[in-house]
Amino acid sequence: MVFAAGCTHKEIAPPAAARVQPAACPATAPVLAYHRVSPKITNQMTVTPALFREHMRYLARHGFSTISIDQWCNAVERGAPLPARPVIITFDDGWKDQIVYAAPILREFGFLATFYIYPTVIGSPLQLSWDDVRALAAQGHAIGSHSLSHTERLNRPYAFEDQARYERRLMREVYDSKREIEANISRPVVHFCYPYGYYNTAVMESLERAGYRTAVTVNPQVNSSATPLMTLGRRIVGPAMRDAELAEYLERLPLPVATAVPGDGMICTDRAGRVRVSLSPQGAHLVDARLKLSFRWVDSTWDPRGRTISYALPQPLEPGAYTAELHAWDARSNHYVYAWLFQQDAAARGASVAASSSRRPQ
Ligand SMILES: [Zn+2]
């Protein structure tokens, strides 16, 4: 596979699918990403059953209906109808407490979800067993792959790996996880979840070749029909997320972007000097825009006439993966978000792996 190079010097247009705006699918799809649902809060990705029930109650009271990711694909690709306020609920990492606590609450509300599992831990203490996974599937939930081993190096080699060895490992993570889950649940597995949210164009191409239909990130945007199906945005849910914060995500709007530099999924082999986004003409009504890089606001410049936002990096980025978020507002304070991921590669590859992995919340 060939990694794209030198992304600092050219603008990367979104994939063809991203430029299509099927009139038949005007809806947006927020995606919630849960991990553990347990009475005991063990980390920033655990919610109590009481809080989970509160979230489900909020969704029900505000007219949301859960849809599957297949339903979202069918709406985007074929204009299949959706309920008025669709939302997608996902669970990562195959924790046992997901079937013990979350599944019964989902059933109370008539909601369905997608569970992303990785086979190497299935059956371990605190994790789902294959019987549990089959039971979730029998309840109507979807099962997706979260790779084979939850590697933090899906998108780049380890220091000791050459390119050929890395590519073989990538294939195993992508293909073997799919095959193993399919063999155990006797259903096709066509949805993928990037471990730690790390991806790039080469990983996306591998997924497509393996027959996956979608992949979810942890880029905190809601999705529109313009969002590529291999980079669906999600909001990670933590133990302090009350209704107001939940509503803030659910009410976000997709931001129409023409080009982004560095582009989504790109590996910058040159030192990235700036981050710059051009909004598409549909963004003409926006009155303010600001940029976040790795979850921090940066001193970006907004040019409303040219509909561009740019940020000159004060120093070269360390090698690693970077989440960029463009937040914009219209005159009525509606909040629009476009979020994406790019990678800074360098000769010093591997030098700051620990730092880069600690930047991601998952
Ligand atoms: Zn995970």
Side-chain angles (χ1 to χ4, degrees):
M1 70 194 63
V2 178
F3 292 120
C7 64
T8 52
H9 300 313
K10 59 184 177 183
E11 295 191 344
I12 308 298
R19 296 194 293 273
V20 177
Q21 290 275 7
C25 181
T28 59
V31 186
L32 298 171
Y34 289 93
H35 289 73
R36 299 200 65 173
V37 180
S38 166
K40 188 177 173 191
I41 302 290
T42 51
N43 58 35
Q44 285 306 302
M45 292 183 293
T46 305
V47 300
T48 63
L51 184 64
F52 184 70
R53 182 179 277 107
E54 194 179 308
H55 291 170
M56 298 305 104
R57 190 179 297 122
Y58 181 93
L59 295 176
R61 283 183 177 163
H62 290 80
F64 285 92
S65 302
T66 55
I67 60 165
S68 68
I69 298 181
D70 276 327
Q71 278 178 279
W72 179 247
C73 293
N74 294 341
V76 169
E77 293 173 348
R78 302 203 291 270
L82 289 172
R85 300 194 82 184
V87 63
I88 296 168
I89 298 175
T90 66
F91 293 87
D92 289 11
D93 299 345
W95 294 102
K96 184 86 169 180
D97 49 50
Q98 293 169 357
I99 194 169
V100 173
Y101 294 105
I105 296 170
L106 288 168
R107 197 159 48 240
E108 276 177 39
F109 290 89
F111 287 165
L112 292 172
T114 298
F115 293 77
Y116 292 105
I117 60 170
Y118 59 106
T120 55
V121 293
I122 296 295
S124 305
L126 302 181
Q127 304 290 145
L128 297 170
S129 66
W130 283 118
D131 279 344
D132 293 330
V133 175
R134 282 187 284 271
L136 287 168
Q139 290 171 26
H141 301 296
I143 308 299
S145 167
H146 196 21
S147 80
L148 190 64
S149 70
H150 207 284
T151 172
E152 66 170 323
R153 293 295 191 101
L154 194 68
N155 61 344
R156 61 198 192 284
Y158 287 103
F160 58 81
E161 278 179 324
D162 60 20
Q163 188 63 21
R165 195 169 166 190
Y166 161 64
E167 289 178 16
R168 285 196 298 275
R169 183 171 59 80
L170 173 61
M171 289 296 103
R172 282 199 302 276
E173 295 284 354
V174 165
Y175 280 87
D176 292 3
S177 61
K178 185 178 196 298
R179 266 199 293 266
E180 189 168 347
I181 300 169
E182 286 175 340
N184 277 282
I185 67 172
S186 304
R187 295 177 189 205
V189 170
V190 294
H191 303 297
F192 191 84
C193 174
Y194 299 110
Y196 304 94
Y198 291 141
Y199 62 91
N200 57 36
T201 50
V203 174
M204 287 189 263
E205 285 165 13
S206 300
L207 292 171
E208 284 170 359
R209 279 199 299 274
Y212 288 97
R213 203 176 180 193
T214 71
V216 290
T217 68
V218 290
N219 302 336
Q221 62 179 347
V222 299
N223 304 287
S224 72
S225 57
T227 309
L229 292 173
M230 284 294 164
T231 52
L232 292 173
R234 294 192 302 170
R235 175 70 156 85
I236 289 182
V237 182
M241 189 192 243
R242 308 312 295 257
D243 285 358
E245 197 182 346
L246 182 64
E248 188 275 324
Y249 170 67
L250 295 169
E251 288 164 13
R252 287 181 179 186
L253 295 166
L255 182 53
V257 163
T259 57
V261 178
D264 190 19
M266 296 306 297
I267 303 173
C268 301
T269 51
D270 296 343
R271 287 285 189 186
R274 62 180 174 149
V275 177
R276 191 162 71 85
V277 183
S278 300
L279 300 184
S280 66
Q282 296 103 303
H285 63 300
L286 299 170
V287 297
D288 193 14
R290 293 179 67 196
L291 201 59
K292 262 186 183 179
L293 195 58
S294 291
F295 313 104
R296 290 194 185 137
W297 293 110
V298 296
D299 193 15
S300 52
T301 304
W302 160 235
D303 170 13
R305 289 171 64 95
R307 295 193 304 273
T308 59
I309 300 91
S310 59
Y311 171 59
L313 295 162
Q315 58 202 33
L317 293 172
E318 291 295 310
Y322 289 85
T323 301
E325 298 170 45
L326 178 57
H327 294 251
W329 295 266
D330 63 18
R332 303 170 76 177
S333 299
N334 290 313
H335 184 190
Y336 299 74
V337 178
Y338 172 68
W340 75 108
L341 184 88
F342 64 89
Q343 222 175 310
Q344 175 68 65
D345 203 354
R349 188 182 69 204
S352 64
V353 167
S356 67
S357 58
S358 68
R359 287 188 192 101
R360 299 292 285 176
Q362 183 192 23

